[in-house]
């Protein structure tokens, strides 16, 4: 007769120095930097490799990110795409091109997140023989004072218990790492803007400059997503869904908001809706668990900073982990949260500036005609005040 214990699966015990939960841009970059530093790590990703490879999101690696990859000796392997310095800020169809170039500084690059992630996967797995486990399920975090930290998970080979020195949560806003932290240990700060963006990936490149357009009918932006494609973003109601936005309406609104009747309807590859919100969790550490990327902070996409903040976090964290594990120096880990949060709040402020300015200046139904005019004046300052232009350039390049 079988005893009850016959059904209990003993997890296979494994060891590494750093267990990374989530193989998005934060987790893969951190693992690549740790491998480069000679620190053993394992990435646990719930999706399969093909899914991670095709997920399309951000479009620009800011100048600070370019510098960072150069410093790590990885820019040639990881970055691709043309320089990204100009933005056409339009108001009711009238464009003015802002040039976010600074003397003596490298420019930002139009390197899509998908391109970067594909290059990271190739570099980490195929070149550096890094350990990335795809399609893992049931990830659990053990991070108490009684035992060594560990991460439990299952894959096709069964159940595993991965013991480590440190755990890094890079599993985005809905992952398990932050959820494992006891209530009350972190403070959540958040702000809801009250509207959403419809994001539409289309089979048409940006002709000329990236566009951020204010109009009386609402915001529209067009940003490059590779040589053949671009993504349009249109301000819409939080309650809107695909049934509200058939392709015909999408193209009519794009033409109306850009004030350009010559734009033709082309193939739309995907449409999805993004509620505009800002979120920060503080601190970005609990005991031996560190948070990096979207799991710790979300910025509205008008700022184009989410991926770039994630890159900053893991740059700081990779150096701090190497210091702790190779030189027994934990100062970097102790400072990690404060160092990142200082920058996160700067860029939350920039994201609020961008989001409020681009939307308040448009449809007066947003916040009334008075706020419409002050937001347009604020946008105008970028072209009349060298001081305003310089600060905007610093933010665009990621220097703050
Ligand atoms: C429409 C849109 C446009 C954007 N545009 C820009 C832009 O122009 N510029 C910019 O800088 N940023 C932009 N962003 C933000 C940027 O995409 C994110 O900030 C970035 O993806 C954050 O990286 P991450 O690795 O923290 O999270 P993610 O990329 O979300 O990766 C998290 C990973 O964790 C995995 N995971 C989740 N749960 C588990 C689990 N339980 N177990 C194991 N794995 C798990 C997920 O499958 C995923 O692979 C945009 C975002 C959106 C949605």
């Amino acid at each position: 007769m079988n005893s009850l214990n016959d059904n209990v699966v003993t997890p296979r015990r494994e060891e590494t120095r750093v267990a990374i939960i989530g193989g998005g841009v934060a987790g893969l970059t951190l693992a690549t930097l740790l491998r480069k530093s000679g620190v053993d790590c394992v990435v646990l990703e719930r999706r399969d490799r093909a899914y991670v490879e095709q997920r399309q999101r951000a479009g620009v690696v800011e100048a600070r990110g370019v510098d960072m990859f150069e410093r790590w000796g990885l820019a040639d392997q990881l970055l691709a795409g043309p320089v990204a310095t100009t933005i056409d800020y339009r108001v009711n169809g009238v464009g003015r091109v802002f040039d976010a170039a600074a003397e003596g500084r490298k420019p930002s690059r139009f390197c899509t997140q998908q391109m970067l992630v594909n290059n990271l996967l190739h570099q980490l797995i195929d070149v550096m023989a890094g350990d990335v486990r795809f399609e893992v399920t049931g990830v659990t975090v053990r991070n108490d004072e009684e035992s060594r930290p560990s991460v439990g998970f299952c894959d096709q080979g069964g159940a595993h218990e991965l013991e480590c020195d440190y755990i890094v949560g890079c599993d985005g806003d809905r992952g398990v790492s932050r959820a494992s932290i006891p209530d009350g240990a972190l403070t959540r700060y958040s702000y809801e803007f009250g509207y959403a963006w419809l994001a539409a990936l289309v089979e048409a490149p940006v002709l000329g400059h990236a566009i951020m357009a204010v109009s009386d009918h609402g915001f529209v932006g067009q940003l490059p997503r590779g040589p053949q494609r671009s993504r349009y973003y249109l301000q819409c109601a939080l309650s809107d869904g695909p049934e509200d936005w058939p392709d015909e309406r999408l193209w009519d609104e794009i033409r109306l908001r850009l004030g350009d009747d010559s734009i033709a309807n082309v193939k739309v590859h995907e449409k999805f809706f993004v509620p505009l919100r800002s979120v920060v969790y503080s601190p970005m550490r609990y005991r031996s668990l560190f948070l990096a990327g979207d799991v710790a902070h979300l910025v509205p996409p008008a700022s184009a900073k989410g991926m770039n903040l994630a890159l900053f976090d893991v740059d700081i964290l990779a150096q701090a982990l190497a210091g702790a594990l190779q030189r027994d120096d934990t100062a970097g880990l102790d400072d990690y949260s404060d160092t990142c949060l200082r920058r996160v709040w700067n860029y939350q402020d920039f994201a609020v500036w961008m989001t409020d300015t681009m939307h308040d200046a448009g449809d007066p139904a947003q916040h009334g005609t008075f706020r419409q005019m002050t937001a347009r004046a604020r946008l105008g300052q970028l072209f009349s005040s060298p001081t305003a232009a310089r600060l905007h350039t610093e933010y665009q390049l990621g220097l703050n």
Side-chain angles (χ1 to χ4, degrees), residues 290-302:
F290 294 82
L291 304 177
D294 276 13
V295 67
H297 38 70
L298 297 174
V299 281

Side-chain angles (χ1 to χ4, degrees), residues 123-365:
Q123 186 67 24
L124 179 62
I125 300 173
D126 307 330
V127 179
M128 294 174 155
D131 192 346
V132 184
R133 317 278 177 94
F134 293 100
E135 297 183 82
V136 303
T137 57
V139 174
T140 55
V141 172
R142 181 159 191 175
N143 177 32
D144 52 41
E145 274 163 0
E146 284 82 56
S147 48
R148 201 173 169 209
S150 68
V151 180
F153 65 97
C154 294
D155 63 13
Q156 284 177 342
H160 303 250
E161 195 68 30
L162 180 62
E163 283 192 10
C164 53
D165 296 292
Y166 297 104
I167 304 168
V168 184
C170 295
D171 47 348
D173 187 39
R174 297 195 189 131
V176 294
S177 63
R178 197 183 62 233
S180 75
I181 298 175
D183 287 349
L186 306 186
T187 302
R188 180 180 191 272
Y189 301 88
S190 69
Y191 179 72
E192 302 287 335
F193 288 83
Y195 43 87
W197 272 10
L198 159 59
L201 185 65
V202 307
E203 191 67 18
V206 170
L207 301 172
H209 312 282
I211 299 170
M212 297 286 277
V214 160
S215 93
D216 293 343
H217 307 281
F219 169 82
V220 61
Q222 189 196 15
L223 301 168
R225 289 295 182 265
Q228 307 301 335
R229 294 181 179 181
S230 57
R231 196 184 305 272
Y232 280 103
Y233 290 110
L234 289 93
Q235 177 184 356
C236 64
L238 275 177
S239 56
D240 279 2
E243 63 288 355
D244 299 302
W245 287 88
D247 287 3
E248 207 54 48
R249 179 178 176 208
L250 174 78
W251 290 109
D252 286 346
E253 283 288 329
I254 289 171
R255 284 186 282 268
L256 180 69
R257 295 182 190 193
L258 286 175
D260 185 350
D261 285 339
S262 72
I263 296 169
N265 298 22
V266 297
K267 184 173 170 50
V268 179
H269 291 281
E270 65 171 20
K271 284 183 214 158
F272 59 87
F273 295 83
V274 190
L276 267 55
R277 66 165 60 102
S278 289
V279 184
V280 178
Y281 290 89
S282 174
M284 291 167 58
R285 172 184 191 172
Y286 179 69
R287 293 185 175 153
S288 300
L289 168 66
F290 294 82
L291 304 177
D294 276 13
V295 67
H297 38 70
L298 297 174
V299 281
S303 62
K305 290 298 174 188
M307 175 177 78
N308 288 296
L309 288 173
L311 292 177
F312 180 88
D313 292 350
V314 297
D315 182 18
I316 301 299
L317 190 52
Q319 296 173 64
L321 286 166
L325 293 167
Q326 294 175 327
R327 298 186 300 281
D328 214 14
D329 173 4
T330 56
L333 290 181
D334 295 338
D335 291 345
Y336 169 71
S337 179
D338 286 348
T339 304
C340 292
L341 285 172
R342 255 194 307 279
R343 182 177 161 89
V344 165
W345 282 115
N346 284 346
Y347 280 89
Q348 290 290 4
D349 185 44
F350 173 66
V352 169
W353 189 99
M354 281 296 285
T355 310
D356 281 353
T357 303
M358 299 313 296
H359 295 83
D360 289 359
D363 184 352

Side-chain angles (χ1 to χ4, degrees), residues 66-95:
V66 175
D67 277 344
M68 161 194 146
F69 283 121
E70 286 191 356
R71 175 165 34 83
W72 283 93
L74 288 163
D76 290 344
Q77 295 89 323
L78 299 179
L79 298 178
V83 300
T85 62
T86 55
I87 305 170
D88 179 356
Y89 284 117
R90 287 193 195 176
V91 178
N92 284 334
V94 179

Side-chain angles (χ1 to χ4, degrees), residues 86-91 94-100 212 353 358 376-390 392:
T86 55
I87 305 170
D88 179 356
Y89 284 117
R90 287 193 195 176
V91 178
V94 179
R96 276 182 296 181
V97 176
F98 184 86
D99 193 352
M212 297 286 277
W353 189 99
M358 299 313 296
R376 286 187 185 182
R378 206 181 308 141
L379 194 54
Q381 290 282 303
L382 298 184
F383 298 92
S384 59
S385 160
T387 308
R390 187 166 161 211
H392 195 66

